[in-house]
Amino acid sequence: MNRQDLIDNLGTIASSGTQKFLDAIKNSKDSSQTVELIGKFGVGFYSSFMVALEVIVESRKAGEEESWIWKSKGDGEYSISKLDDQIPRGTKITLVMRPEENEFLDKFRVENIVTTYSDHINFPVEFVNEEGKSEKLNNKAAIWTKPKNDVTQEEHNDFFRSVAHVGDRRCSVKLYVNKVFITEDNVQVIPQYLRFLKGIVDSPDLPLNISRETLQNNRVIEQIRRSLTKRVISELGKKAKENLEEYTKFWTNFGAVLKEGLCEAMPTDEREALLSICRFHSTGDEKLVSIDDYISRMKPEQEHIYYLTGNSLDSVKNSPQLEGFISKGLEVLLFVDPVDDFWTSVVHEYKDQKFKSVTRADVDLENFSSEKKEEENKSDEDKTEENADSILQYFTKVLGSAVKSVKISKKLTDSPVCLAVDEGAMDLRMERFLREQKQLNYRTPKVLEINTKHPVIKSIIKSHAENVENPTLEDMIHLLFYQACITEGEEMDDASLFAKKLNNLLGKVVI
């Protein structure tokens, strides 16, 4: 720069020489030439006064003999004078550091800044020590600017190690603008449920001085987020179709994280795209299945996608809630991740097929043909139904406020009782979770379903018909209710009462 250039470029705040240069290139005969430069608003240079007492600029313009020196202490004034000693063409900037900012003179501090923010720019950044030896600090190539076929596996591995924080639960996609690192923490370039992704996004459409507040509401960032999310979901879908074994490994590690996205507000088509790549355990297959697999196997008269949530795969597989579905040959999806309790409360259907928990009290399986012969039970059912109203009233009277109601189960086959909730009520596990987190300070009474085909219930019905009411029957009814609570993981209000009633019955057993 000559004297006038120093006045124009450094003497005026917010005057960008870079922008003027780019505009000149654009209007010249070489407008088709690609020029990679950073800087746009003319304020970056003045950030040096945050750490410097004085800034000295020595410069000589190409094709001119004179060299000039520009000095300022950042107090609104500057001076320009000729240099007695001529310098080579170019510009040299010297910062006279503030005593409290000497950390920026440390080689390791400088190296950390350069490798964090400028490791991928094309221009070399060198550190010259006191002995005059120079060392290049930015070494990594911006492999994302190369054609895909030109990038080696070794380069891929080195790049991954440079950007990934293994074990870090944060979103770890870094935002760059023209190869200059901007931020990693102050903006979500990807949604939280894709936080297992590691990499960078480099955009030429964002300004380098963009603020945190502007980033959060920037239209370009929002477009980047939508495009990335759509691409990732699409690629995962392809992976699931092309290599199910490898996708299953991926799902085992990151499936629970992906399902967190189902809890977020999003358009129906985006939610269904996310649901389509989810995989679940099922009573109909030993392998993980998709919901589309489930729908393809639904019975013609089936209207719902049935599911059951639980703490572990073993516990849900042994749940009494499944008995009727298994006997009818109806497949049930098994949800065993904690996040499943949340997304099932906000996602109610998939491709016009509604989800339904098998713990709902209005589940009716009588319209489905059974895979087991039931003719032999017809006569017993007719006899039992004659006393149904009476026994339901007796159960309700004995249990009182401990239950909301007592109903004859249309899904139990091998167990005598189970707990259920009405349609629209909070799910059993969700309510229990909220109580454990102190977000709910009460427990709602549940529906007790009884299996009138079970020998224990038949015995109670017979004894009640013959003897009307007695303490032994009441103890049995309480124990059956406690059994249902234990099976579903519900706590008992009075464990000592449970023990007392159990001991009363055990005392009457003849060995």
Side-chain angles (χ1 to χ4, degrees):
M1 292 180 286
N2 57 24
R3 184 177 186 277
Q4 190 59 45
D5 291 332
L6 289 170
I7 294 173
D8 294 340
N9 294 322
L10 303 185
T12 305
I13 296 178
S15 175
S16 174
T18 302
Q19 187 62 43
K20 292 177 182 177
F21 179 76
L22 291 174
D23 291 340
I25 288 290
K26 183 178 180 181
N27 297 324
S28 70
K29 296 180 180 179
D30 297 327
S31 58
S32 60
Q33 181 179 353
T34 302
V35 180
E36 294 186 359
L37 294 176
I38 62 175
K40 185 174 182 180
F41 295 99
V43 295
F45 170 78
Y46 295 94
S47 66
S48 58
F49 290 105
M50 296 175 66
V51 296
L53 287 170
E54 184 178 23
V55 177
I56 303 169
V57 179
E58 299 171 276
S59 187
R60 178 185 173 188
K61 191 169 185 176
E64 298 187 6
E65 297 295 329
E66 294 177 329
S67 300
W68 297 87
I69 181 170
W70 180 97
K71 293 183 179 181
S72 177
K73 293 184 178 180
D75 53 4
E77 298 181 353
Y78 63 88
S79 64
I80 300 177
S81 59
K82 282 185 181 181
L83 272 175
D84 295 331
D85 299 327
Q86 296 299 316
I87 64 172
R89 175 175 64 89
T91 299
K92 174 184 177 183
I93 301 176
T94 304
L95 305 184
V96 181
M97 302 297 290
R98 299 178 185 272
E100 65 271 21
E101 305 294 349
N102 282 342
E103 64 170 296
F104 294 103
L105 299 178
D106 180 74
K107 188 249 185 182
F108 296 104
R109 182 75 171 97
V110 174
E111 183 177 20
N112 176 260
I113 293 173
V114 172
T115 55
T116 298
Y117 295 95
S118 303
D119 209 24
H120 301 287
I121 63 174
N122 293 335
F123 311 104
V125 179
E126 298 180 346
F127 182 89
V128 182
N129 62 20
E130 296 176 352
E131 299 176 355
K133 295 181 179 180
S134 64
E135 176 185 348
K136 185 180 177 183
L137 299 183
N138 57 331
N139 296 305
K140 294 182 175 63
I143 67 170
W144 60 89
T145 62
K146 296 182 179 181
K148 182 178 179 181
N149 295 333
D150 292 349
V151 181
T152 66
Q153 186 61 46
E154 184 179 357
E155 286 178 316
H156 266 296
N157 295 340
D158 289 342
F159 174 72
F160 180 79
R161 283 191 289 267
S162 70
V163 300
H165 306 289
V166 179
D168 194 344
R169 286 180 57 84
R170 300 178 305 162
C171 290
S172 188
V173 173
K174 299 179 179 181
L175 177 63
Y176 283 70
V177 174
N178 290 324
K179 303 177 188 175
V180 177
F181 175 62
I182 301 299
T183 186
E184 181 178 10
D185 301 320
N186 302 319
V187 62
Q188 280 197 346
V189 184
I190 56 171
Q192 186 69 17
Y193 64 88
L194 294 181
R195 60 180 177 269
F196 52 82
L197 293 178
K198 310 295 180 183
I200 68 99
V201 170
D202 191 0
S203 173
D205 301 318
L206 291 168
L208 284 170
N209 69 332
I210 191 167
S211 66
R212 297 180 181 181
E213 293 78 11
T214 307
L215 272 175
Q216 295 298 337
N217 301 292
N218 187 275
R219 184 175 298 177
V220 175
I221 292 294
E222 183 59 33
Q223 290 174 343
I224 290 173
R225 184 187 297 114
R226 285 200 301 266
S227 297
L228 275 179
T229 303
K230 185 176 180 180
R231 178 66 181 275
V232 170
I233 298 301
S234 175
E235 290 299 317
L236 288 175
K238 291 178 183 177
K239 186 71 172 179
K241 292 179 180 178
E242 295 170 359
N243 193 331
L244 182 58
E245 184 178 350
E246 287 298 318
Y247 186 77
T248 301
K249 293 179 182 178
F250 160 81
W251 183 259
T252 301
N253 286 303
F254 302 112
V257 178
L258 261 177
K259 286 187 288 186
E260 291 177 13
L262 298 173
C263 303
E264 298 184 5
M266 63 177 69
T268 301
D269 58 333
E270 293 181 15
R271 178 176 284 112
E272 290 192 348
L274 180 55
L275 257 177
S276 70
I277 65 170
C278 293
R279 295 296 181 269
F280 306 99
H281 294 285
S282 165
T283 59
D285 202 320
E286 289 298 320
K287 298 179 180 178
L288 294 176
V289 302
S290 68
I291 300 183
D292 289 298
D293 294 333
Y294 178 96
I295 292 175
S296 69
R297 297 194 287 258
M298 287 173 60
K299 288 179 176 283
E301 64 271 33
Q302 187 177 340
E303 298 179 353
H304 298 96
I305 299 172
Y306 293 110
Y307 70 89
L308 175 63
T309 61
N311 295 322
S312 68
L313 188 58
D314 288 337
S315 67
V316 292
K317 281 186 174 181
N318 294 319
S319 172
Q321 307 278 2
L322 296 178
E323 293 172 357
F325 293 88
I326 293 175
S327 69
K328 300 284 187 178
L330 290 168
E331 185 174 0
V332 178
L333 296 175
L334 308 176
F335 299 159
V336 294
D337 289 321
V339 69
D340 292 325
D341 294 307
F342 294 90
W343 74 260
T344 51
S345 65
V346 296
V347 180
H348 303 297
E349 64 179 59
Y350 173 75
K351 295 183 178 179
D352 298 326
Q353 299 289 338
K354 295 186 180 299
F355 288 99
K356 191 177 189 66
S357 171
V358 300
T359 62
R360 297 296 169 179
D362 62 343
V363 170
D364 188 352
L365 305 183
E366 292 187 348
N367 293 328
F368 296 97
S369 59
S370 177
E371 294 186 348
K372 297 179 181 179
K373 293 182 179 181
E374 295 182 341
E375 293 298 327
E376 57 191 32
N377 297 323
K378 284 289 184 181
S379 58
D380 290 338
E381 287 183 29
D382 294 338
K383 293 178 182 178
T384 300
E385 288 179 2
E386 294 176 3
N387 301 311
D389 291 339
S390 176
I391 198 62
L392 291 178
Q393 292 174 8
Y394 185 45
F395 265 77
T396 303
K397 177 183 177 181
V398 172
L399 296 174
S401 60
V403 296
K404 181 178 182 180
S405 62
V406 182
K407 296 181 178 180
I408 294 178
S409 178
K410 296 181 180 180
K411 62 189 176 189
L412 291 176
T413 59
D414 300 322
S415 299
V417 291
C418 73
L419 293 183
V421 291
D422 287 327
E423 187 67 30
M426 191 179 300
D427 186 74
L428 289 167
R429 272 173 46 91
M430 176 58 78
E431 181 183 309
R432 187 160 63 249
F433 172 82
L434 293 177
R435 288 202 307 270
E436 292 170 351
Q437 299 301 313
K438 309 301 182 185
Q439 297 181 30
L440 198 66
N441 56 7
Y442 62 89
R443 183 174 62 188
T444 58
K446 307 299 184 296
V447 176
L448 179 68
E449 292 191 0
I450 63 173
N451 177 11
T452 55
K453 304 170 189 175
H454 193 276
V456 173
I457 302 298
K458 285 182 178 180
S459 176
I460 293 176
I461 293 174
K462 181 180 178 181
S463 297
H464 179 256
E466 295 174 354
N467 304 316
V468 186
E469 301 176 8
N470 64 70
T472 300
L473 285 182
E474 292 182 7
D475 287 344
M476 289 181 66
I477 290 171
H478 276 105
L479 288 176
L480 286 170
F481 172 67
Y482 290 139
Q483 173 188 319
C485 290
I486 293 171
T487 302
E488 290 298 334
E490 293 287 301
E491 64 268 25
M492 294 181 291
D493 290 331
D494 192 342
S496 61
L497 180 62
F498 166 71
K500 180 180 179 180
K501 293 185 178 298
L502 179 61
N503 291 331
N504 287 342
L505 280 180
L506 292 176
K508 296 175 183 179
V509 176
V510 179
I511 300 178

